[in-house]
Amino acid sequence: MRHTPWCLCRDLSIVGIICMLQSLVLYNLKLLFYLFLQALDFQTQPLFLLDFTFIKVCFGGWSSMKQEKELERLEGYVDCRNRPALHGKHGGMLAASFVLVVEVMENLAFLATASNLVTYLTGYMHLSLSESAVTVNNFMATSFLLALLGAFLSDAFCTTYIIYLVSAIIEFLGLVILTIQARSASLKPPPCIPSSPACQSMTRSQVAMLFGGLYLSALGIGGIKGSLAPHGAEQFDKDTVQGRNGRSTFFNYFVFSLAGGGLIAVTFVVWMEDNKGWQWGFGISMIAILLSIVVFVSGSLLYRNKKPTGSPLTTIGKVLAAAIFSHRPSQCTTDSNAGIDHSLGTADTVPSNELTFLNRAVEDDQCIMFLHCTIEEVEDVKIVIQLIPIFLSTIVLNCCLAQLSTFSVEQAATMDTHVGSFKVPPASLPIFPIIFMMIMAPVYDHVILPFARTVTRTEVGITHLQRIGTGLVLSIVAMTVAALVEVKRKKVAAEAGLLDSKDPLPISFFWIAFQYLFLGSADLFTLAGLLEFFFSEAPAKMRSLATSLSWTSLALGYYLSSVLVKIVNSATGNGSHLPWLKGTNLNHYHLERFYWLMCALSSVNYLCFLFCATRYLYKRSGTKG
């Protein structure tokens, strides 16, 4: 969306008149959009005021432009027209609020597809339960892993603003393919015949269309995940207490918005998928992404966009290579100080004492000009390396979270899902942790955090690593509860004589809600903590890439879940014994053993996290984690 207020300051030429008409037309379109959202009770006052501000600027002439010149420029940031961003005009919570609204729509589209996808693959595409679980895990893992690509492009070549728009369009196209396939009977295998022993599998073209749509959507989702959160966080000043606190609030409400989109997805959209057809589910996701683009563009005049600074991977590779090759005796004829930046004589130009082997990249001379490094580059790479152990220690937690969209859904499907006369779709079970997250996010930001700041007399109150550690403990509790609930579920099935039956068991699905509640709590503490931790600790040139590690941890968690299922089945399926997690009837699975295994892995993982966290040194405060 391009407004051109400067054109009215020219002579009354034809070009000036066209620009004014264009601006007025765009204003009227946004006014209609405002009235539509107002009818839905959305908080759209900022959008409305933005347009009146724009009209005022258009007719204000040169006076408003003079005021802009008096505003302080933000170094390293540009506006949507690639002009220098101005302090006081660009950024702030108002700009970030557009990102929060977009996140609601984006996560609605993502979870509406992913949360109930197991049911679609087994019921309509005739995949087995284990194949469907692996497919869903791989889809979600790929979506999160591709956040690295979106983040890399944001840091190296394009702004987060551009990456989001391109990624949203890609996801939209993927959802169009899935909607067309779900709507057309000829593009799906025929329904199963009750008298037939097996259902007809998908043809190659049907498989290609299904996975083409899924992974095109995954590409778009990854780009959005890698750009949207950093784009919102960049709207705050890192050098002021108010800016840092505002950024902390943004990440808390980012998780709140993520949960809000999930709430709509696992209730309304899942009900539409189960009762009206999957073409409605994919169609709603498609419309949500389209609306998110409109809302995102509406805030264009307020955004500050960080300028790309080149490939962070190149910097990391150069420093590592320089440190490795410095072991060799130098045979250079150049000045031995050529690779060291001595332009400043302060202590800031002295390499730190952490990871001292990297100091060789600036202490020794290099024969290859490309490997000449500055102290700033070496220190940036040190920070990234120190973040990696924390990143690795959250993968097992996300492996536990992967169970929410696979085995836990199938557990609920075998139980009594009625609430009175209303039958709750099993895929709507995540509503329990989602509602808890939406309640706790504001409580944490407005009650717990201010109280902790008062008690500890520190700016942060609760450190990022303390928050992440709390999430890891809750994941251990969640897996323990999940194992106990599965033991009870199978005991009820045996007592009722329904082990070989697919009829609902006489036990309420609310028992599954306990493991959802603890895993949702773990996700609330860990995800918000990780996002803020990686963004605040990472070098400015690598913030998007570092923040995307939060999503990469999710990806590796889902991949690990798929690998664990295969390993467990391979290890337990020898001889006359059936694999723990294979078959057509969940009652014959040994799912409780799998949950106990996850509990043990989570406990070991937490001990590793404690070892790393207690030795981590925060970049800004200099205190240990």
Side-chain angles (χ1 to χ4, degrees):
M1 184 177 296
R2 296 184 60 87
H3 293 305
T4 51
W6 49 266
C7 66
L8 297 178
C9 303
R10 295 184 176 182
D11 296 332
L12 291 178
S13 60
I14 295 177
V15 175
I17 294 173
I18 292 174
C19 288
M20 184 180 72
L21 291 176
Q22 176 194 13
S23 301
L24 290 175
V25 169
L26 290 173
Y27 166 73
N28 287 325
L29 288 174
K30 290 180 72 177
L31 177 58
L32 289 173
F33 182 61
Y34 160 78
L35 294 174
F36 171 73
L37 293 182
Q38 191 76 350
L40 297 178
D41 293 330
F42 278 87
Q43 299 296 321
T44 52
Q45 189 68 11
L47 182 64
F48 193 55
L49 290 177
L50 176 60
D51 285 306
F52 274 117
T53 302
F54 163 70
I55 294 297
K56 182 179 178 181
V57 170
C58 282
F59 289 96
W62 287 102
S63 60
S64 61
M65 296 191 69
K66 289 182 179 179
Q67 293 175 2
E68 289 184 5
K69 290 181 179 180
E70 295 175 357
L71 296 175
E72 180 184 355
R73 291 188 175 186
L74 292 165
E75 292 297 329
Y77 292 90
V78 294
D79 64 9
C80 62
R81 298 176 190 165
N82 210 33
R83 300 179 305 184
L86 303 175
H87 192 278
K89 180 181 178 182
H90 299 107
M93 186 57 75
L94 179 58
S97 64
F98 284 89
V99 176
L100 296 177
V101 175
V102 168
E103 177 57 23
V104 173
M105 300 178 182
E106 180 274 327
N107 205 48
L108 186 161
F110 174 45
L111 285 185
T113 300
S115 63
N116 202 22
L117 190 57
V118 168
T119 305
Y120 178 69
L121 295 176
T122 54
Y124 295 88
M125 295 302 177
H126 303 164
L127 295 179
S128 68
L129 177 57
S130 59
E131 289 174 334
S132 299
V134 169
T135 299
V136 173
N137 283 337
N138 290 341
F139 165 70
M140 297 187 74
T142 303
S143 300
F144 290 126
L145 189 61
L146 286 171
L148 283 174
L149 176 62
F152 170 75
L153 295 175
S154 299
D155 282 333
F157 304 110
C158 304
T159 62
T160 51
Y161 180 88
I162 296 298
I163 294 299
Y164 172 80
L165 290 177
V166 173
S167 301
I169 292 172
I170 292 173
E171 183 179 357
F172 174 79
L173 295 176
L175 290 170
V176 168
I177 294 174
L178 293 174
T179 303
I180 293 173
Q181 185 175 37
R183 182 176 177 81
S184 176
S186 62
L187 299 176
K188 301 193 298 286
C192 294
I193 301 174
S195 59
S196 176
C199 300
Q200 183 175 328
S201 301
M202 289 185 287
T203 63
R204 289 184 178 180
S205 60
Q206 291 169 346
V207 170
M209 188 171 189
L210 173 65
F211 285 94
L214 282 176
Y215 284 98
L216 189 61
S217 298
L219 178 61
I221 292 166
I224 291 173
K225 297 295 184 187
S227 59
L228 191 58
H231 181 77
E234 290 289 0
Q235 308 306 314
F236 300 93
D237 298 326
K238 64 180 177 64
D239 298 323
T240 65
V241 175
Q242 182 181 5
R244 290 190 292 270
N245 289 343
R247 186 177 62 199
S248 178
T249 297
F250 166 77
F251 279 118
N252 286 325
Y253 276 95
F254 186 84
V255 175
F256 175 87
S257 298
L258 186 146
L263 179 63
I264 301 172
V266 302
T267 52
F268 172 69
V269 182
V270 166
W271 184 87
M272 293 291 289
E273 290 167 350
D274 288 345
N275 295 275
K276 299 297 182 181
W278 269 85
Q279 67 272 19
W280 286 93
F282 290 132
I284 292 172
S285 298
M286 186 174 62
I287 294 172
I289 281 296
L290 199 58
L291 287 177
S292 75
I293 296 174
V294 175
V295 174
F296 186 79
V297 171
S298 297
S300 297
L301 293 180
L302 294 177
Y303 297 144
R304 59 170 75 164
N305 303 308
K306 186 171 72 72
K307 293 190 292 187
T309 54
S311 171
L313 299 182
T314 300
T315 301
I316 295 172
K318 182 176 69 171
V319 171
L320 293 177
I324 292 172
F325 283 110
S326 67
H327 285 289
R328 299 178 181 179
S330 175
Q331 298 178 359
C332 302
T333 58
T334 58
D335 182 9
S336 61
N337 294 326
I340 308 177
D341 183 5
H342 290 296
S343 59
L344 298 174
T346 65
D348 292 335
T349 61
V350 178
S352 66
N353 293 326
E354 298 170 347
L355 302 175
T356 53
F357 73 94
L358 291 178
N359 293 344
R360 300 188 186 98
V362 291
E363 291 172 353
D364 297 337
D365 54 328
Q366 301 293 340
C367 297
I368 306 174
M369 290 297 297
F370 174 76
L371 295 182
H372 287 165
C373 303
T374 64
I375 293 178
E376 180 185 4
E377 290 174 332
V378 172
E379 293 302 311
D380 286 350
V381 173
K382 287 182 180 181
I383 293 172
V384 172
I385 292 176
Q386 290 171 331
L387 295 178
I388 291 176
I390 305 299
F391 156 72
L392 293 175
S393 64
T394 61
I395 294 175
V396 174
L397 163 68
N398 291 308
C399 181
C400 297
L401 288 173
Q403 313 314 315
L404 291 179
S405 57
T406 53
F407 291 122
S408 294
V409 173
E410 294 304 317
Q411 279 179 286
T414 67
M415 304 166 80
D416 182 10
T417 59
H418 285 87
V419 178
S421 59
F422 181 74
K423 185 177 181 180
V424 179
S428 292
L429 270 178
I431 190 175
F432 295 106
I434 285 174
I435 291 177
F436 184 77
M437 290 169 68
M438 295 185 70
I439 294 173
M440 283 302 299
V443 170
Y444 180 85
D445 191 72
H446 298 292
V447 179
I448 298 176
L449 205 52
F451 177 76
R453 287 168 178 162
T454 302
V455 172
T456 61
R457 297 182 181 180
T458 60
E459 180 185 320
V460 295
I462 300 174
T463 66
H464 309 317
L465 293 178
Q466 288 172 344
R467 190 171 183 179
I468 295 169
T470 303
L472 295 179
V473 171
L474 288 171
S475 71
I476 299 172
V477 177
M479 288 294 98
T480 303
V481 170
L484 294 174
V485 169
E486 176 62 7
V487 169
K488 180 175 180 59
R489 190 193 68 84
K490 292 180 69 173
K491 181 180 178 181
V492 170
E495 292 175 349
L498 296 174
L499 282 175
D500 297 318
S501 174
K502 292 188 177 181
D503 294 334
L505 302 177
I507 179 175
S508 174
F509 76 108
F510 280 108
W511 283 94
I512 301 293
F514 290 109
Q515 64 203 57
Y516 273 86
L517 186 62
F518 282 109
L519 281 174
S521 304
D523 195 21
L524 169 65
F525 279 94
T526 305
L527 181 57
L530 274 178
L531 287 169
E532 188 175 0
F533 173 71
F534 287 139
F535 186 89
S536 59
E537 292 295 303
K541 297 178 181 179
M542 307 178 187
R543 280 181 185 159
S544 296
L545 189 63
T547 306
S548 69
L549 290 177
S550 305
W551 308 114
T552 305
S553 175
L554 275 168
L556 296 179
Y558 277 99
Y559 279 131
L560 178 61
S561 178
S562 298
V563 171
L564 275 178
V565 169
K566 293 180 179 179
I567 292 175
V568 166
N569 282 340
S570 176
T572 59
N574 297 326
S576 59
H577 297 285
L578 293 175
W580 285 2
L581 306 172
K582 195 169 185 180
T584 58
N585 191 331
L586 191 68
N587 294 332
H588 296 297
Y589 280 37
H590 291 289
L591 191 56
E592 73 284 355
R593 299 179 185 176
F594 180 69
Y595 284 151
W596 285 123
L597 174 63
M598 294 298 303
C599 181
L601 290 176
S602 298
S603 300
V604 173
N605 176 71
Y606 178 67
L607 295 177
C608 295
F609 169 80
L610 280 181
F611 178 82
C612 298
T614 52
R615 286 161 176 76
Y616 183 82
L617 193 67
Y618 283 100
K619 180 181 68 174
R620 193 181 66 81
S621 64
T623 58
K624 284 191 174 183

